[in-house]
Amino acid sequence: MIKKYLPFISLLLFFPLTANAVPAPVAMLPLTIETAIRQFTPPYCQNGLQGLGSAVEKCYENTKDTSVTIDMCVLGDITIAKLLIQDKKADLSVLDRKPSEVIADKNIPVSGTESYLNFASVVKRLQLLGDMPRFYIYNSPQILAYLQQGADPVYKGITEGCKK
């Protein structure tokens, strides 16, 4: 089921960027992936999506947007999007809209606990990555390629971590 929507999740990350592109980080560090799994698995296993959403919210709140640690928060957000799609709790109509429309929509919150369980809010946060100092010098395909390296392993690590 989720594989059907993987192309849509990839499109989530195609956000508008106006900065000049420079070489993006080539490979996501395994430590980033491992740390994201360790950080997000316990809250997800204990409290499901609510726990994961709270953990991702705290991650963003406690991480400077210039830090490479923000990558873990983004991977947590992507995991939430995948879980919402898997659980059929995602309104996929947001994917039919232009990124600029989603970003401009004031009815889609990007902060607050409930926004971390709302697919449209996750999409909007991911589309706003280009505004973060950590990413603004890269173009969309560069960031997408970089984040995709960690997205599947983190999703798999979190969801399978509860089965142990």
Side-chain angles (χ1 to χ4, degrees), residues 33-46 48-49 52 55-56 72 75-80 83 150-164:
I33 295 167
E34 293 162 13
T35 305
I37 293 168
R38 276 196 314 274
Q39 180 174 339
F40 297 131
T41 300
Y44 177 69
C45 293
Q46 292 169 1
L49 269 173
L52 180 58
V56 171
M72 289 188 313
L75 292 172
D77 241 352
I78 293 169
T79 299
I80 290 171
L83 289 166
D152 286 336
V154 169
Y155 168 80
K156 198 176 213 177
I158 291 171
T159 56
E160 291 179 2
C162 295
K163 297 173 186 173
K164 294 180 180 178

Side-chain angles (χ1 to χ4, degrees), residues 52-121:
L52 180 58
S54 295
V56 171
E57 179 180 26
K58 286 178 188 158
C59 182
Y60 280 117
E61 287 173 356
N62 297 323
T63 306
K64 292 184 180 191
D65 59 6
T66 55
S67 171
V68 296
T69 306
I70 202 80
D71 299 2
M72 289 188 313
C73 307
V74 175
L75 292 172
D77 241 352
I78 293 169
T79 299
I80 290 171
K82 289 181 173 196
L83 289 166
L84 288 170
I85 290 170
Q86 175 187 304
D87 294 347
K88 296 181 173 74
K89 295 180 181 176
D91 178 1
L92 300 176
S93 66
V94 71
L95 299 175
D96 295 331
R97 297 172 63 187
K98 293 179 182 176
S100 58
E101 291 174 4
V102 175
I103 290 169
D105 189 338
K106 299 209 183 303
N107 292 319
I108 302 175
V110 291
S111 61
T113 304
E114 288 305 311
S115 77
Y116 287 86
L117 304 176
N118 177 315
F119 186 72
S121 295

